Each structure stands twice: as structure tokens, then as C-alpha cells.
Amino acid sequence: MTRRIRQIRDAVHGVYALASKTSNTAITVNGHIINWQIEVHDPHGLIDVAGANPSRFVIPSGWSLVELIALAFVTNQSASMAFTVEWLQNGAATNPRTLTREATAPLTTGGQAGQWVHSAPIGVVPGDYFQVRLGGAGTALLRGETNPSWSNWAAVRRLG
Amino acid sequence: MIRDIADIRDKIHAQYALATLDTNVAITVSLHNISWDVEQKDDDGLIDVAGANPHRFTIPASWIPAGETEVLVEMVAQVHLTAFTPAGAFSVNWFVNGSVIEGRGFTREATVPIGGEVVQTAFSGPSLVEAGDILTVVLGGPGATGTLQGAATGSSTWAMVRRLG
């Protein structure tokens, strides 16, 4: 592959931020906003897990269009519930909203639920911030582990 | 980043059509074609919500690369349904020219409870299509009824066709 083609490929597909969790967190499910614990890939500085707002992906200068992807995974539920995951833009539900809801409600007490959410392209301006919020009932363990299939993660990818 | 490479990225990702609902619609779920209300973005004229077929995304000839007959696309749809009754399996499907894409574009939710609410996403994966091909979002269920949700702030029922090739 020529260097030029590689540059183009990286510019098209390689501009994104990905954060994850590394340890379990006991949470009250409904309304919980996930705080990320590790910047898996963040060369453009969208997220600062050691800062004051470890839940936020902040859009940097020059970005105008993004797509959002997240996987939320909980276990040890204390109550049956319908489990929901959604992206917030500047603290509010995005438009078009990207909420998903586990359909096998009510999920049983003590069970586990994994749910992913994938947005349509969303227009942004620098300084916009995105967070992942959960919905449901009771308490649960929000998973974060070295095994990525058991971890919560979220990504913001630049489209334009 | 070199400016022309950024331009290439922007042009590649900008070619998509996105349609949403902005009203709630009572439906019979089984083999229901979703008709769209709003063209959120449709620079290349894939969908006409004011026309005779507001449920159709039609692949334009302008998307076909010179010298070829097909183009690579991906489709994503999210469907938000409430008051689903009776209980049964619920599915969201992308159809091409009236048929389901074998092994793709299909997701299925099981055991939705009576009165249940579900938000389900169907993702096609990369798919080859031709100019004039018609893409539709079709719901499946056991003859159940429900209400498609579109009136909430920012529609939670939407569909997108994006050019990849």
C-alpha cells in the first residue's frame, strides 16, 4: 500500500475516540451516566478520564459530523426492569434519539443485560459533549474488566 | 492533515439519506412498511416523503461508480414501538425490492410482553445494490398491533442508507 493511500484510509476511518471501563461499579441503574476509566484510543483529546468530567466526549475543533456507538453491560440486577441505553448531547437526548431498550422486559432479578446503541450521523460543533445514560430499575453492577467482551465501552467517530 | 485528504473523508461520509418519523402511528405490526415523515438529509433524492411511496429509499444512478452496475451501501434503522400486543416475537428487517436480504439486515426480538415497549436496531452490513433498487424497513410480528413512536423530541424511529463504495 502506498503511503498516500494509507493516509487517506486513516483519515477516513481512523479518526475516533474510544473509552472503556476497567473495574466493576455498583450503580443505581435508572439515570446513571457512565464514567469512563481508560482512554483506549483518544489521539484528539475528546475525553479525560482523570479529569473533572470522565463521562464526557467533547468535540474538538474542526469536527462537524460524528456517529456514536456504545455497549452497556450490567449484571446482578436487584429488580426486574426494561434496560435502556442512550446517548446524550450536551446533557439532552440526541436528535434523532439513539436510545435502545432491551425488549425482553422485565429482565429478571439477578440477571444480566448487554445492550448496544448506534446513532445515525449527528451534526456537531466544537465543544459539544456526549455521554451515555442508562435507564431501568434497582441497582446493578456496571461491568468493567480486562476481558473486553464484558466491558462497557463507547466510541465517537468523526465522519466530517 | 493534508487538506485534500480531509476533503475526501468529508465527501465519503456525507453521502447518505436519513429519514425519520415525527408523528405517532398506530399499526398492525405484521409485514408493516414504515412510511417516513421527514427527510432529515437527502441530498441525492433517495426518498420522497410527500410522494406516493414515502416508505421507499431508491438507489440513485448518481451513486453507481462509472463503468460499474452496482454500488456498496449499508443500511441502519431504529424502530421504537409501544403498546405492542399481544405478546410475541418482534422483528425489524431491511427489504431490497420487496425481499429480505438473506442473512443480513435482520434482527429479531423475542418475547415482547403485552403492552410492551421496544427500541430495536437493524443493521445491514455492507450490501451491493443497483440503481433503482428499492430499500424498505419492514416490521414483523404475530399479527400484533402497536404504536410507532415519532412524536417525542427527536424521533426515535429513523432509517439511514449510506454509500460506502
Side-chain angles (χ1 to χ4, degrees):
Chain A
M1 180 182 300
T2 66
R3 178 174 174 78
R4 181 69 165 170
I5 291 175
R6 182 175 177 182
Q7 283 180 316
I8 293 171
R9 184 197 62 198
D10 291 349
V12 170
H13 296 298
V15 186
Y16 67 97
L18 173 64
S20 182
K21 282 184 62 63
T22 55
S23 62
N24 297 337
T25 306
I27 64 168
T28 297
V29 176
N30 200 38
H32 180 80
I33 294 176
I34 297 177
N35 286 322
W36 305 105
Q37 295 172 303
I38 185 171
E39 299 152 25
V40 178
H41 180 84
D42 189 26
H44 300 278
L46 274 70
I47 190 163
D48 180 6
V49 298
N53 295 297
S55 67
R56 297 185 181 184
F57 290 83
V58 182
I59 300 301
S61 177
W63 291 34
S64 59
L65 189 70
V66 299
E67 67 179 5
L68 317 169
I69 307 167
L71 172 69
F73 188 71
V74 297
T75 62
N76 301 77
Q77 297 148 222
S78 69
S80 62
M81 65 172 178
F83 182 51
T84 68
V85 185
E86 65 182 331
W87 279 95
L88 305 180
Q89 183 174 11
N90 301 326
T94 50
N95 185 4
R97 289 196 302 164
T98 53
L99 178 147
T100 66
R101 186 181 299 264
E102 185 63 56
T104 51
L107 294 168
T108 56
T109 301
Q112 55 184 297
Q115 185 67 41
W116 70 281
V117 59
H118 191 305
S119 79
I122 294 176
V124 294
V125 296
D128 279 354
Y129 65 91
F130 292 92
Q131 300 161 292
V132 176
R133 182 171 68 184
L134 309 181
T139 59
L141 272 185
L142 186 66
R143 305 300 296 222
E145 316 209 8
T146 54
N147 181 344
S149 68
W150 283 66
S151 274
N152 286 266
W153 61 265
V156 175
R157 188 159 78 107
R158 181 179 184 181
L159 300 182
Chain B
M1 184 186 304
I2 301 171
R3 184 61 239 170
D4 60 348
I5 293 179
D7 290 342
I8 290 170
R9 181 197 56 227
D10 293 351
K11 288 174 182 173
I12 286 174
H13 289 306
Q15 282 199 292
Y16 67 91
L18 173 64
T20 63
L21 287 184
D22 68 353
T23 57
N24 294 343
V25 184
I27 64 168
T28 297
V29 176
S30 186
L31 291 179
H32 176 82
N33 281 283
I34 296 179
S35 291
W36 304 103
D37 294 326
V38 181
E39 299 159 22
Q40 297 283 355
K41 175 176 164 59
D42 189 25
D43 298 343
D44 298 316
L46 276 70
I47 190 164
D48 180 7
V49 299
N53 296 296
H55 60 296
R56 294 182 176 178
F57 290 81
T58 305
I59 300 299
S62 62
W63 278 23
I64 308 300
E68 299 184 24
T69 59
E70 296 174 312
V71 64
L72 195 64
V73 299
E74 68 178 4
M75 298 89 84
V76 185
Q78 176 178 281
V79 177
H80 184 186
L81 190 72
T82 59
F84 184 86
T85 185
F90 171 64
S91 65
V92 180
N93 316 272
W94 275 99
F95 277 25
V96 177
N97 299 329
S99 299
V100 71
I101 313 166
E102 186 174 354
R104 290 179 295 178
F106 176 87
T107 63
R108 184 180 180 91
E109 282 287 350
T111 63
V112 177
I114 292 173
E117 178 176 8
V118 58
V119 182
Q120 184 63 38
T121 301
F123 178 68
S124 71
S127 304
L128 282 170
V129 294
E130 300 177 354
D133 277 352
I134 294 166
L135 312 178
T136 53
V137 178
V138 181
L139 308 183
T145 59
T147 303
L148 280 173
Q149 293 293 310
T153 301
S155 175
S156 49
T157 299
W158 55 266
M160 176 186 71
V161 177
R162 177 158 56 185
R163 179 178 177 181
L164 298 181

